[in-house]
Amino acid sequence: MQKARRPAGSHTAAASRQPSGRARAWARRAPMMPALVYMVIVTQLPFVATLVISFMNWDALRPEERGWAGFTNYKLVFRDPDMRASVITTVWLTAGVVLLSLLLGLGVALLLDHKFRGRGAVRTMMIAPFLVVPVAAALLWKHALYNPEYGLLNGALTWIWSLFGSDNPPQPDWISSSPLAAVAVSLIWQWTPFMMLILLAGLQSRPLEIIEAARVDGANAFQIFRHLTLPHLRRYLELAALLGSVYIVQNFDAVFTITSGGLGTANLPYTIYQTFYQAHDYGRASAAGVIVVLGTIVVATFALRTVSTLLREEKTS
């Protein structure tokens, strides 16, 4: 039986009725468009408004002088000695907290990487500080630990001195004597679990066959850590440091709650808060905020590149 031949024009008509590749792609993306538009409105419009205000002379105490200021606010931000001091404080606070949190997190992760009874409960308890609301954690350290009259730290000193028969223990005022260290310790306590979680994930992804082969060849625990574990954790350490830096640069709760920005502890977010709500200089506060956002974007870019590299290495291993 001879098969009926389809006219040549019907193929062209059928092909014209098929949607093009670009149309199919837009059809797949269309359901996501409302969420994309919402994200742009919620996240980008406030930044655009802040960017516009940063180029304006907008002081709530002198509303008649409101107008276009160009880069004047940015020049004032870079010339302001309080702003420069807050930048230095922010760098010291961020670097110190991230470094010590990483070291403590690495130690705790190495301990929790071993199997022992109750490991799950210990791991849950170790994560608990990271789950505490930042303001509540700062209040806990300020009143329950640092208070010179009824705080736990001075109470411990009194108990230790009493063991040796002394009735005159030292009772330091921790916040007044070491304000920046007091803020840093509270942040280290809260951010060590975050570092521990990332590093513990890295430890549990190690190739155990290579470690077992090293043990068979006579390598001790330090040699295995130095030559196998630490190189494997390098990307995880970078990721934890970068993500921690992004968050701790923006810390406001601990500084505001523990020292109220006094005694040389005012970091960039607190100085911006002072400029906005106390000096009412919206233009200069917005310029400082834009500078902080740009600096954070640079750090976040490195963090995202580290995550991408880490994922590629995990996929190829």
Side-chain angles (χ1 to χ4, degrees), residues 20 107 136 139 166-167 188 220 234 252 266 313 315:
S20 64
L139 287 172
S166 174
D167 296 330
I188 291 169
N220 58 32
R234 184 175 66 86
F252 174 81
E313 289 181 355
K315 191 178 292 184

Side-chain angles (χ1 to χ4, degrees), residues 235 239 301-315:
R235 290 292 181 186
L239 175 64
T301 302
F302 282 109
L304 291 175
R305 287 186 178 181
T306 302
V307 171
S308 300
T309 307
L310 192 62
L311 292 176
R312 281 199 300 271
E313 289 181 355
E314 291 286 340
K315 191 178 292 184

Side-chain angles (χ1 to χ4, degrees), residues 4 11 36 68 79 81 110 117 122-124 145 171 175 206 213 216 229 239 243:
H11 291 286
L36 180 63
W68 186 254
R79 291 174 183 170
L110 288 172
R117 182 175 295 178
V122 173
R123 188 180 299 177
T124 303
L145 294 168
Q171 297 290 287
I175 296 177
R206 286 178 301 173
V216 172
T229 303
L239 175 64
L243 289 179

Side-chain angles (χ1 to χ4, degrees), residues 4 47 141 301:
F47 178 71
W141 278 88
T301 302

Side-chain angles (χ1 to χ4, degrees), residues 81-97:
D82 292 337
M83 191 65 72
R84 288 201 297 270
S86 67
V87 170
I88 295 172
T89 302
T90 304
V91 171
W92 276 110
L93 191 64
T94 305
V97 170

Side-chain angles (χ1 to χ4, degrees), residues 22-89:
R22 181 175 296 180
R24 288 197 298 271
W26 275 108
R28 287 195 299 269
R29 293 168 187 161
M32 296 187 291
M33 288 305 291
L36 180 63
V37 171
Y38 175 78
M39 287 295 296
V40 169
I41 292 174
V42 170
T43 62
Q44 300 305 313
L45 282 187
F47 178 71
V48 172
T50 304
L51 188 64
V52 172
I53 295 173
S54 70
F55 290 103
M56 295 179 65
N57 182 19
W58 189 345
D59 192 331
L61 301 179
R62 292 185 291 273
E64 69 280 1
E65 298 178 2
R66 187 185 304 175
W68 186 254
F71 287 94
T72 305
N73 289 323
Y74 289 91
K75 293 177 184 176
L76 291 174
V77 167
F78 285 112
R79 291 174 183 170
D80 186 358
D82 292 337
M83 191 65 72
R84 288 201 297 270
S86 67
V87 170
I88 295 172
T89 302

Side-chain angles (χ1 to χ4, degrees), residues 96-267:
V97 170
V98 169
L99 183 61
L100 291 175
S101 300
L102 265 181
L103 291 176
L104 290 173
L106 177 60
V108 176
L110 288 172
L111 290 175
L112 292 180
D113 190 43
H114 296 283
K115 291 183 180 178
F116 57 88
R117 182 175 295 178
R119 185 174 68 164
V122 173
R123 188 180 299 177
T124 303
M125 287 189 291
M126 293 302 300
I127 298 171
F130 188 62
L131 304 179
V132 178
V133 177
V135 174
L139 287 172
L140 173 73
W141 278 88
K142 181 178 182 179
H143 294 291
L145 294 168
Y146 288 147
N147 192 287
E149 296 180 359
Y150 55 82
L152 185 61
L153 296 180
N154 283 358
L157 289 177
T158 303
W159 176 70
I160 293 173
W161 255 248
S162 67
L163 295 177
F164 297 95
S166 174
D167 296 330
N168 190 24
Q171 297 290 287
D173 189 342
W174 301 93
I175 296 177
S176 298
S177 57
S178 305
L180 194 58
V183 174
V185 168
S186 70
L187 290 174
I188 291 169
W189 173 78
Q190 193 160 30
W191 281 92
T192 295
F194 175 78
M195 307 296 184
M196 181 267 294
L197 283 175
I198 294 179
L199 297 178
L200 186 59
L203 285 173
Q204 293 183 348
S205 66
R206 286 178 301 173
L208 298 179
E209 300 82 10
I210 298 176
I211 295 175
E212 193 61 33
R215 287 200 182 109
V216 172
D217 290 340
N220 58 32
F222 178 75
Q223 290 171 328
I224 292 174
F225 175 76
R226 170 69 180 82
H227 298 288
L228 293 177
T229 303
L230 207 53
H232 175 77
L233 287 180
R234 184 175 66 86
R235 290 292 181 186
Y236 294 90
L237 288 166
E238 292 175 356
L239 175 64
L242 289 170
L243 289 179
S245 300
V246 169
Y247 284 105
I248 294 169
V249 159
Q250 305 172 38
N251 178 268
F252 174 81
D253 310 84
V255 173
F256 178 78
T257 305
I258 295 177
T259 63
S260 299
L263 305 172
T265 60
N267 58 353

